[in-house]
Amino acid sequence: MHKKHHHKKKPSAVKKWSAKLHLWFGLSVGIIVFIVSLSGTLYVFKDEIQHVLRKDALELRKETVKGKPLSLEVLREKVTLELNEKYPISSVEIPLDKKKSYGFLYYKKDKKGWNYFQEVLINKQVYVNPYTGEILAVYNEKYDFFTLLKYIHWSLLLKADWGKYVVGIPVVLFIIMLITGIILWWPQNKKARKGRFWFNWKNVKTWKRKNYDLHNVLSFYASFIALLLCITGIYFTYPYVKNVFNLALSGSVDLPKEKDIKSPDSLTAKNNSVFDLTIQETSKRYPASSSFRIPLNGKNKKGKDLNNIPITVYQKEGRFSERNVLIFDKYSGQLLANKPHQNLNTAEKYSNANYDIHTGSYFGLFGKIIWFIAGLICTSLPVTGFMVWWGKRKKQGKKI
């Protein structure tokens, strides 16, 4: 009688090529994936940690909350004189909660700088008691731990214009690695399926097998969130990714362009209380919101002169997704336009929400916890993957 020989089923061409791409891309960009994943993971709970560390600066003492806040011009003058910085104050964030401080921001960039430290000339946050004018704290955000994490994650501390591609290209390759990883993970039969969903280490003694299982099992559970993190990340980097989202969500490649709104009042003399008028009107129109930001240097994010005062109103604390915009005449303080969140089209709403989705804050504390765990797994994948390859390499070396 002849013994039956069970031949192991050969992997398909798709799995063969998936294995090659997974290995090649992993070895080429693994270190960048590790750095980007780790920095992003550590950044997740930035708001919660800073709120604890900066509690005395963010929350006012009860005995100081009396009467009405001082004029914004008076507060700006106090901060300017006391800090005596080379650059003007960029903006102020005003909370609707009367028991919280105002946050004045100094921010200036140099387009000629080739790395983060040369590009960002100043980034300082000044917390002020609006009732007394007392400066509660000054934080040099340029060298803050979380700011550095953010720019490591965004551009590896290189110049933002091209550093984002140094990160963006590996992220695209990581997306391919996640897809090829799922293909390689996919079990060929029911028997193989058992060890793919959880660890079966009862009779396993070698670290190599345990490491392989860590790479294999954890990556499966994190891969779908990791894909979401990658796609929301490259949304910032590549305009064509944003265009695809815009087209899919609202039927147009481009978002509606912001019209430059002016009024006849712009020809008249400036009202010295213009900012106070905008604060009153904003507070009246959106009393249930968290805070709003007013530009004070007459410049937009790109450094171009503003023809009006655009005020961004944030509905929820720590969230950018639900925001409203009010446009005021910069001389008279007259309200020119009101753009509530609910009037935006789907693509505009998603554009505002993309950052919150990327950081997990869109889904609240639970979302942040899930994102943090997924980030830790993503951070581990280049390490466990390299160890799998190194173990096989040493094994092949012994055979030779």
Side-chain angles (χ1 to χ4, degrees):
M1 246 177 118
H2 296 287
K3 289 183 181 179
K4 288 184 181 179
H5 294 281
H6 295 280
H7 296 285
K8 194 176 180 180
K9 192 177 178 181
K10 289 184 179 180
S12 64
V14 174
K15 285 213 169 188
K16 277 184 178 179
W17 275 104
S18 293
K20 287 180 180 180
L21 291 174
H22 198 78
L23 175 62
W24 295 340
F25 291 160
L27 291 175
S28 60
V29 300
I31 186 66
I32 295 178
V33 170
F34 174 83
I35 293 169
V36 172
S37 298
L38 181 61
S39 56
T41 303
L42 295 175
Y43 189 81
V44 169
F45 291 107
K46 172 232 175 193
D47 290 340
E48 288 78 5
I49 294 169
Q50 282 195 341
H51 185 80
V52 173
L53 296 177
R54 299 183 179 184
K55 189 176 180 180
D56 292 338
L58 291 166
E59 298 179 8
L60 303 176
R61 297 190 306 276
K62 287 182 182 179
E63 62 271 17
T64 65
V65 183
K66 293 178 181 178
K68 291 183 179 180
L70 297 172
S71 166
L72 191 60
E73 284 292 351
V74 171
L75 293 171
R76 179 165 70 163
E77 190 68 22
K78 277 178 173 277
V79 173
T80 302
L81 289 172
E82 192 157 336
L83 268 72
N84 194 28
E85 291 289 349
K86 182 180 177 182
Y87 307 100
I89 297 169
S90 309
S91 64
V92 61
E93 185 165 352
I94 299 175
L96 269 293
D97 186 344
K98 293 180 180 180
K99 294 175 286 185
K100 291 187 176 180
S101 61
Y102 285 12
F104 287 85
L105 178 68
Y106 284 93
Y107 190 78
K108 178 74 174 176
K109 289 181 76 173
D110 179 10
K111 292 180 180 180
K112 294 179 182 179
W114 70 271
N115 62 34
Y116 163 77
F117 297 103
Q118 291 182 349
E119 194 174 21
V120 177
L121 298 173
I122 188 170
N123 184 6
K124 279 188 179 180
Q125 186 75 34
V126 185
Y127 293 101
V128 178
N129 185 323
Y131 301 95
T132 64
E134 179 192 0
I135 293 177
L136 303 173
V138 179
Y139 292 96
N140 191 348
E141 303 286 12
K142 180 177 179 177
Y143 300 103
D144 179 73
F145 175 71
F146 287 107
T147 305
L148 292 174
L149 281 178
K150 181 180 177 180
Y151 283 95
I152 289 170
H153 187 75
W154 172 245
S155 62
L156 296 182
L157 296 179
L158 300 170
K159 184 179 175 64
D161 287 347
W162 53 269
K164 63 183 180 181
Y165 295 111
V166 176
V167 170
I169 293 169
V171 171
V172 172
L173 296 181
F174 186 53
I175 291 173
I176 297 170
M177 288 170 64
L178 288 168
I179 295 167
T180 55
I182 292 168
I183 292 169
L184 293 170
W185 172 91
W186 202 265
Q188 292 180 340
N189 51 54
K190 289 182 179 179
K191 190 178 179 182
R193 203 177 298 164
K194 289 181 180 179
R196 300 295 172 95
F197 290 101
W198 198 244
F199 310 109
N200 186 13
W201 289 345
K202 193 174 182 181
N203 299 315
V204 175
K205 294 180 180 179
T206 62
W207 70 267
K208 288 182 182 179
R209 178 66 199 186
K210 289 181 180 179
N211 178 71
Y212 176 81
D213 286 347
L214 282 170
H215 187 78
N216 210 26
V217 176
L218 294 180
S219 62
F220 168 72
Y221 287 110
S223 58
F224 299 102
I225 293 175
L227 280 169
L228 181 61
L229 289 170
C230 291
I231 292 167
T232 53
I234 61 175
Y235 179 92
F236 294 116
T237 306
Y238 300 105
Y240 65 82
V241 175
K242 192 172 187 176
N243 293 343
V244 169
F245 271 81
N246 294 343
L247 186 63
L249 295 172
S250 296
S252 175
V253 170
D254 298 315
L255 292 173
K257 290 184 178 179
E258 293 289 333
K259 292 180 181 178
D260 193 11
I261 303 170
K262 295 180 183 179
S263 81
D265 293 327
S266 296
L267 300 173
T268 63
K270 185 173 181 179
N271 186 332
N272 291 328
S273 302
V274 64
F275 288 120
D276 294 326
L277 292 172
T278 64
I279 291 171
Q280 290 170 18
E281 186 65 26
T282 303
S283 302
K284 187 167 58 175
R285 286 184 177 266
Y286 295 101
S289 60
S290 171
S291 64
F292 53 91
R293 183 173 290 276
I294 306 174
L296 297 178
N297 61 351
K299 307 279 185 182
N300 64 13
K301 289 180 180 179
K302 295 180 180 179
K304 293 182 180 179
D305 291 332
L306 291 168
N307 290 317
N308 48 51
I309 303 173
I311 295 183
T312 305
V313 185
Y314 303 105
Q315 289 293 100
K316 296 179 181 179
E317 189 175 359
R319 293 266 295 270
F320 298 97
S321 51
E322 296 174 29
R323 51 181 133 156
N324 313 287
V325 176
L326 293 171
I327 308 292
F328 292 91
D329 180 77
K330 67 178 182 179
Y331 294 100
S332 68
Q334 178 188 336
L335 179 65
L336 304 178
N338 180 14
K339 300 177 181 179
H341 169 77
Q342 59 267 28
N343 288 0
L344 301 176
N345 66 35
T346 309
E348 289 176 302
K349 286 179 180 177
Y350 180 80
S351 180
N352 288 345
N354 188 72
Y355 177 84
D356 289 344
I357 294 171
H358 187 68
T359 60
S361 60
Y362 188 82
F363 308 101
L365 182 60
F366 177 76
K368 285 191 169 189
I369 293 168
I370 298 298
W371 260 230
F372 181 79
I373 294 168
L376 285 177
I377 294 171
C378 288
T379 305
S380 75
L381 293 179
V383 179
T384 56
F386 179 82
M387 289 169 74
V388 168
W389 171 77
W390 188 256
K392 287 182 177 179
R393 187 170 171 272
K394 286 183 76 176
K395 190 176 179 181
Q396 288 171 355
K398 285 180 181 179
K399 284 182 179 180
I400 294 167

